[in-house]
Amino acid sequence: MSSFFINNVLLFPYHAVLSMRHFMYDKGLFKSFSFEVPVIAVGNVSAGGTGKTPHAEYLVRKLSQEKRVAVVSRGYGRTSRGQRVVNVYDKSLDVGDEPLQIKKKFPSVSVIVDADRVRAINDLLALPEDERPQVIVMDDALQHRRVVPGKSILLIDYSNPPFEDNLLPFGTLRDLPSRVSSADVVVVTKCPPEISPDMSLWWRSRLSLEERQHLLFTGLVYKEPLPVFEEGDRRYVYSNYASMITGIANPTSLDYHLSSNYRMITRLRFKDHHRFTSGDVSVINRMALKSPEAVIFTTEKDAQRFSGLQSLSNEVKKRLFYLPVEVSVLYGDPLNMF
């Protein structure tokens, strides 16, 4: 394993560090934990953009029809520490935008944020029997090897497959492509509407999937726009003009959807989980003044952070809407996800 020095600090290549970590877990040098309830881990090998949260919501939506479901997440981007039980009145800074989004969509589902997933699951299982979850969904958890899931679901963006990508910082991969082989279910996300059997065979071959591994293809379905603020005026939704503000890894799908229905005036794109500053708010307020007829759209995840920005102008608040998104299974048996 090659290494090098910078400022007298010994550094190892990123792929070597990942390989070493996987080797230690595989050889039992780090302790892993299994649990008495089914745990479904959802994640990816690339840095965002695969639709983890909509797919976690898909699982919650289906499973909660028959089971008590809980969601465990690290709460990426939050400023708080330790464990937090998420409620619908929390702020995204305290619990993270994705866990807050899930809790608001499924108020009766227990959502816990904790960097220590083992502790979070143990605390859930310590609840009284009539509150104890019967299945747990772990969001963004494929790199969290301390928990042994009952089923692991790996998501891959149709437009950015791992066999055409590179490890960070030269690409978007945050884990070795070989991690695909450890997943029980591989889901190719954000697909075009038509998926043929031949295309499924091609993907299975390129990903080198084993017979035991299930392969599914999904798309995103955008629902009716909803206002971010109470001041929201739905008449703006029927405008011919729109602006878009996003702070997600890959807003291409939303951009394409909006462009087919509106003449796009302005696109403000920020990094994933961006924490909006007073300077950002000033830019957004000025943007609204320049295009007084345009409706302003953002993502459902961004809406969690926007809702806490009181310094937005009334002009923005009455025109700012988000588009809820749901997963649609295009090809493959969705029961394999369970």
Side-chain angles (χ1 to χ4, degrees):
M1 178 171 60
S2 61
S3 59
F4 54 94
F5 286 87
I6 294 181
N7 294 331
N8 295 321
V9 177
L10 179 63
L11 299 177
F12 292 97
Y14 186 52
H15 72 275
V17 175
L18 290 174
S19 297
M20 185 186 302
R21 185 180 68 185
H22 295 161
F23 173 82
M24 289 179 174
Y25 272 107
D26 292 340
K27 296 301 181 182
L29 300 178
F30 291 151
K31 190 173 182 180
S32 297
F33 297 84
S34 299
F35 296 92
E36 62 188 39
V37 300
V39 177
I40 302 177
V42 183
N44 57 20
V45 293
S46 59
T50 57
K52 291 189 302 295
T53 301
H55 283 79
E57 291 176 350
Y58 176 87
L59 292 169
V60 171
R61 185 176 296 107
K62 297 296 184 181
L63 289 167
S64 59
Q65 294 174 5
E66 298 181 1
K67 303 288 185 180
R68 283 192 303 275
V69 182
V71 176
V72 174
S73 172
R74 62 175 170 160
Y76 183 83
R78 66 186 176 118
T79 57
S80 62
R81 295 183 178 182
Q83 185 181 114
R84 287 284 297 261
V85 177
V86 183
N87 70 67
V88 295
Y89 302 108
D90 278 327
K91 295 181 179 179
S92 63
L93 283 177
D94 295 326
V95 297
D97 46 23
E98 292 163 340
L100 183 58
Q101 175 181 320
I102 294 173
K103 182 62 179 180
K104 286 183 176 180
K105 193 169 286 186
F106 305 99
S108 63
V109 169
S110 297
V111 180
I112 289 184
V113 293
D114 196 339
D116 187 341
R117 317 288 179 91
V118 173
R119 176 175 62 186
I121 294 174
N122 280 326
D123 287 349
L124 283 168
L125 298 183
L127 292 171
E129 186 174 353
D130 60 344
E131 300 177 25
R132 189 181 308 146
Q134 297 167 309
V135 60
I136 295 172
V137 176
M138 281 206 312
D139 183 29
D140 195 15
L142 289 190
Q143 283 71 40
H144 191 87
R145 305 287 293 275
R146 290 185 66 217
V147 175
V148 179
K151 177 158 287 191
S152 59
I153 300 175
L154 185 145
L155 308 179
I156 294 173
D157 188 337
Y158 179 90
S159 64
N160 187 32
F163 49 76
E164 294 181 357
D165 203 352
N166 294 293
L167 286 168
L168 293 166
F170 305 106
T172 65
L173 292 178
R174 60 174 177 167
D175 209 336
L176 297 171
S178 58
R179 280 284 283 155
V180 173
S181 64
S182 66
D184 298 303
V185 181
V186 175
V187 182
V188 182
T189 69
K190 301 182 179 180
C191 296
E194 300 297 329
I195 300 294
S196 67
D198 288 343
M199 187 179 295
S200 177
L201 290 173
W202 182 86
W203 274 89
R204 179 172 284 276
S205 174
R206 290 303 307 270
L207 293 169
S208 301
L209 298 185
E210 300 175 15
E211 187 175 348
R212 66 171 181 84
Q213 294 179 281
H214 301 288
L215 178 63
L216 283 79
F217 297 83
T218 63
L220 296 178
V221 178
Y222 289 99
K223 313 301 283 188
E224 288 297 312
L226 295 175
V228 176
F229 296 95
E230 293 181 356
E231 298 94 320
D233 186 342
R234 289 199 61 84
R235 289 176 295 181
Y236 282 99
V237 172
Y238 303 101
S239 171
N240 293 321
Y241 305 94
S243 294
M244 183 178 76
I245 309 170
T246 59
I248 60 174
N250 185 1
T252 304
S253 296
L254 176 61
D255 195 346
Y256 180 81
H257 175 77
L258 292 177
S259 297
S260 63
N261 294 281
Y262 296 91
R263 180 179 174 183
M264 300 303 295
I265 304 299
T266 306
R267 296 173 175 86
L268 292 180
R269 181 174 177 177
F270 300 90
K271 66 179 182 179
D272 197 16
H273 299 281
H274 179 71
R275 193 176 300 169
F276 296 104
T277 65
S278 57
D280 298 330
V281 172
S282 296
V283 171
I284 294 168
N285 288 341
R286 289 197 299 270
M287 179 197 73
L289 290 176
K290 289 181 180 179
S291 306
E293 296 180 0
V295 60
I296 305 171
F297 285 113
T298 191
T299 69
E300 190 169 13
K301 186 168 78 170
D302 290 315
Q304 313 310 317
R305 281 171 278 129
F306 271 120
S307 61
L309 295 178
Q310 300 303 319
S311 53
L312 287 170
S313 68
N314 289 331
E315 193 65 27
V316 172
K317 289 182 178 180
K318 70 181 182 182
R319 290 156 53 191
L320 184 60
F321 289 78
Y322 70 91
L323 289 170
V325 62
E326 293 184 6
V327 166
S328 171
V329 177
L330 303 174
Y331 192 88
D333 187 353
L335 290 178
N336 290 327
M337 295 182 72
F338 307 100

